[in-house]
Amino acid sequence: MTVLRLSSIALAALATLAGCQHGCTGFGGDIDGVPFDPNGTVFTYIDATDDRDDPAEPARVAVAMTWIVFNPAGDLAELSGAELSEMRHEMALRDGLALVFADQAAVVPGARFVSRLDGGVETSDEGLHAVVHFAPERLTPQSTYASFRQFGSVRTVEVELDTVELTPPAPAGAGEGAGLSGRVVIDIEAGPDDVDDARTGQLEGTFTAPVVHERPAEHNLGLLGAADVIGLPLAPPTDEP
């Protein structure tokens, strides 16, 4: 396992954390020239309700990082249809990251987690599932398939938590609570079936993700079509095997 560290790249990324409105993140490094910037809205929520609206055991903790800027504790349904459509459009065309911790009880200061996906399949069992969404390549009239390069299919995300305060703000809907902060390392590697020139590299960053209540968080992510981009909101856990 790679030891999490704040290199000069990650330290430089800290500069992007100033002046954030709804959470912050900043990543240094690139994937063969492709940067990563989901620093628009960053927040945490506790996925604590199952498909019967009963308390889920264990509760999961989700962190959403998106390029677009919105109030995760508000209600995006108040936007006009055109405004919401534009935000959904940008959601799909910009960088995004989801971190899902399997058990709230394990989310404590100093805890480390690893998610490893090989060809989109989770191959690790270390309490974390991560979805990394890179913005699609922008095309020009001269773009050809010969110039297209795929990303490596082996993606490892390591997270180390610094601060943890998961008490939602009271009363419900009052805004954002303290949430999570920590460090993230994303490694993109080529798998055995990838093309020879697959994009590989490493990203290092930090994040601060205030906590909001589950209902507005899931409501807004649903309106943004985020499930198709970063896999949030999560499907409710069930009692089915």
Side-chain angles (χ1 to χ4, degrees):
M1 181 188 303
T2 302
V3 177
L4 278 166
R5 62 206 181 280
L6 276 183
S7 68
S8 58
I9 293 176
L11 288 171
L14 285 170
T16 66
L17 300 185
C20 299
Q21 185 174 2
H22 300 291
C24 296
T25 189
F27 282 91
D30 60 73
I31 308 300
D32 273 351
V34 178
F36 187 62
D37 181 28
N39 185 33
T41 301
V42 182
F43 64 97
T44 302
Y45 72 93
I46 303 170
D47 185 67
T49 306
D50 66 13
D51 60 338
R52 299 177 182 177
D53 293 330
D54 293 325
E57 294 293 343
R60 297 172 289 184
V61 177
V63 177
M65 306 184 192
T66 75
W67 181 88
I68 59 176
V69 177
F70 64 97
N71 178 8
D75 187 353
L76 291 180
E78 295 179 353
L79 297 176
S80 69
E83 290 174 312
L84 183 56
S85 178
E86 181 176 355
M87 292 183 73
R88 288 176 63 98
H89 174 77
E90 293 297 326
M91 182 81 193
L93 294 181
R94 303 292 183 172
D95 296 328
L97 175 63
L99 305 174
V100 180
F101 302 94
D103 187 348
Q104 181 183 355
V107 180
V108 297
R112 294 185 178 186
F113 302 86
V114 176
S115 171
R116 180 180 173 88
L117 272 69
D118 191 341
V121 177
E122 185 75 58
T123 61
S124 61
D125 185 19
E126 299 190 48
L128 173 70
H129 176 70
V131 178
V132 184
H133 174 75
F134 291 102
E137 179 184 359
R138 297 299 191 264
L139 304 183
T140 71
Q142 288 73 43
S143 297
T144 66
Y145 283 110
S147 63
F148 173 70
R149 295 179 61 194
Q150 299 176 345
F151 287 92
S153 63
V154 180
R155 304 184 179 188
T156 304
V157 178
E158 301 181 41
V159 177
E160 181 176 355
L161 297 177
D162 292 330
T163 61
V164 176
E165 176 49 71
L166 293 176
T167 302
E176 302 169 355
L180 302 178
S181 70
R183 291 162 281 173
V184 184
V185 174
I186 301 173
D187 276 306
I188 306 296
E189 302 172 279
D193 297 326
D194 288 342
V195 296
D196 292 338
D197 65 344
R199 293 186 184 275
T200 61
Q202 186 178 87
L203 301 160
E204 299 180 50
T206 58
F207 70 95
T208 299
V211 64
V212 301
H213 284 276
E214 179 181 15
R215 186 176 181 187
E218 294 186 335
H219 171 73
N220 288 325
L221 289 167
L223 288 174
L224 290 170
D228 294 331
V229 182
I230 57 173
L232 296 177
L234 299 164
T238 70
D239 295 329
E240 297 297 325

